[in-house]
Amino acid sequence: MNSKSLVSIADISKEQMLDLLARARYFEEHPNSDLLKGKLVATLFFEPSTRTRLSFETAVNRLGGRVIGFSDASTSSTSKGETLKDTIKMVSNYADLIVMRHFLEGAARYATEVTDIPVINAGDGANQHPSQTMLDLYSILKTQGRLDNLTITMVGDLKYGRTVHSLLMAMRYFNPTFRFVAADELRMPAEYRRFCDTEDIAYSEHTEFSEDVINSSDIIYMTRVQRERFSDVMEYEKVKDLYTLRNAMLAGSRPNLRILHPLPRINEIDRDVDDNPKAYYFEQARNGVFARQAIITAALGIDIPKP
């Protein structure tokens, strides 16, 4: 495995995390440069994506690099039966770095085992989404002025939501308090609750998205119930509309509260929330470019100019 790869947020230290956040701040102030001049980045998206793929490609283009790859696996040789190993080894001949999204958990980790170039995990099944976590951390830092001692409420699909899994693990360094709001069928998996216990992270579980929970939160992290993760459509229909955040529900919330969402949303955040200054999900998506510029340059061992 290339030591510069980013497969899981658990692979990087607090110091590396803070370095990436500092890089993200630099790139927000200096989004365009030629730091990636002469570099080729392959984006391999075996699963549909809009924000993640476009923000990675924007990050590369703004830094003067070039992008190759595919956004639809049906247009690649995997549709002919080519193995993931062969695809990765072939692409490694052409690119300096691979950004990969795959529907199978562990696919990104496997990719690092068959190539010598860095691999960035852009989401593997319901497992991890570390680049989303870095933009989430950057969004939290920008809106709260700190990462320490925050109360973070996660709502919706906590079983399959790889973004909440990664964020939970990243926050282990910053003494958070978590509220997990979900139906029993979509509660935070046992392995992540055990992780909280092991890391001495305070958390509570709720099936009601109550006024008390909302009003005592610094961050509310809404998630979409992911239809594509359900094999039984009836089970999806049963839980898809259980939690919807509406503007009126924010009346007694803290002034510093910010609402995050990895997007796309369906109906878990009502459109009447969009104009509330506490809504931050569109700015959060914009932060993805800066966070991914940080991750790419770090993976390629490129230093950023000193202030």
Side-chain angles (χ1 to χ4, degrees):
M1 174 178 171
N2 187 294
S3 62
K4 297 292 186 178
S5 293
L6 179 57
V7 172
S8 168
I9 205 70
D11 294 337
I12 63 176
S13 66
K14 180 179 181 180
E15 290 69 27
Q16 290 172 308
M17 214 174 277
L18 294 176
D19 173 71
L20 289 174
L21 292 172
R23 284 174 178 258
R25 185 178 298 280
Y26 171 83
F27 286 121
E28 181 166 11
E29 297 169 353
H30 308 87
N32 301 306
S33 73
D34 61 356
L35 288 175
L36 292 186
K37 185 177 181 180
K39 298 293 185 182
L40 266 174
V41 174
T43 54
L44 310 184
F45 279 72
F46 295 87
E47 190 177 56
S49 170
T50 302
R51 275 149 298 278
T52 301
R53 180 176 62 84
L54 290 180
S55 65
F56 266 115
E57 293 183 0
T58 300
V60 174
N61 287 322
R62 286 195 177 277
L63 294 180
R66 297 167 68 184
V67 177
I68 62 173
F70 55 81
S71 59
D72 182 350
S74 67
T75 65
S76 74
S77 289
T78 57
S79 64
K80 303 174 184 177
E82 183 175 66
T83 65
L84 179 59
K85 176 182 178 180
D86 286 1
T87 298
I88 296 300
K89 293 188 77 67
M90 181 273 297
V91 172
S92 299
N93 292 324
Y94 309 142
D96 300 290
L97 180 146
I98 291 173
V99 176
M100 187 175 83
R101 169 170 287 192
H102 203 283
F103 50 86
L104 290 178
E105 295 184 19
R109 181 77 64 189
Y110 175 74
T112 67
E113 296 170 359
V114 297
T115 182
D116 293 327
I117 69 172
V119 175
I120 297 173
N121 181 10
D124 61 332
N127 185 30
Q128 289 274 323
H129 198 346
S131 70
Q132 175 72 42
T133 301
M134 289 313 305
L135 77 90
D136 290 343
L137 290 176
Y138 188 53
S139 298
I140 294 170
L141 181 60
K142 281 180 65 177
T143 62
Q144 305 299 311
R146 70 187 201 280
L147 292 172
D148 296 284
N149 305 312
L150 296 171
T151 298
I152 300 175
T153 297
M154 297 174 164
V155 185
D157 184 354
L158 307 188
K159 180 178 181 180
Y160 299 111
R162 57 193 172 199
T163 62
V164 293
H165 300 162
S166 289
L167 181 58
L168 183 155
M169 297 182 75
M171 289 300 298
R172 69 191 183 276
Y173 298 121
F174 305 108
N175 192 38
T177 297
F178 283 113
R179 273 73 170 277
F180 302 142
V181 180
D184 289 337
E185 297 91 334
L186 294 175
R187 69 186 296 206
M188 185 65 73
E191 65 187 281
Y192 293 103
R193 287 181 275 124
R194 284 195 298 270
F195 179 86
C196 287
D197 293 336
T198 301
E199 298 291 329
D200 198 26
I201 296 172
Y203 72 91
S204 57
E205 295 188 277
H206 310 262
T207 55
E208 182 183 356
F209 193 21
S210 69
E211 182 178 320
D212 286 345
V213 167
I214 293 170
N215 292 350
S216 57
S217 299
D218 298 305
I219 295 290
I220 293 178
Y221 198 103
M222 300 296 296
T223 65
R224 171 178 65 94
V225 176
Q226 303 174 75
R227 181 174 56 187
E228 62 270 27
R229 306 293 178 209
F230 285 77
S231 56
D232 186 336
V233 174
M234 294 304 295
E235 284 298 310
Y236 167 74
E237 291 293 331
K238 178 181 174 183
V239 297
K240 69 173 185 174
D241 294 324
L242 286 181
Y243 305 106
T244 300
L245 180 63
R246 296 182 173 85
N247 194 50
M249 298 165 66
L250 300 171
S253 61
R254 293 176 173 177
N256 65 302
L257 172 70
R258 292 297 180 269
I259 301 149
L260 304 184
H261 191 308
L263 302 177
R265 69 170 164 185
I266 306 300
N267 56 8
E268 59 277 1
I269 300 179
D270 195 280
R271 269 56 180 177
D272 71 358
V273 177
D274 293 353
D275 293 329
N276 191 310
K278 297 176 182 180
Y280 195 75
Y281 29 89
F282 295 122
E283 292 89 341
Q284 177 189 1
R286 178 174 178 267
N287 290 336
V289 173
F290 315 129
R292 287 166 176 135
Q293 286 177 318
I295 292 167
I296 290 166
T297 54
L300 290 172
I302 296 172
D303 293 329
I304 60 174
K306 299 296 182 185

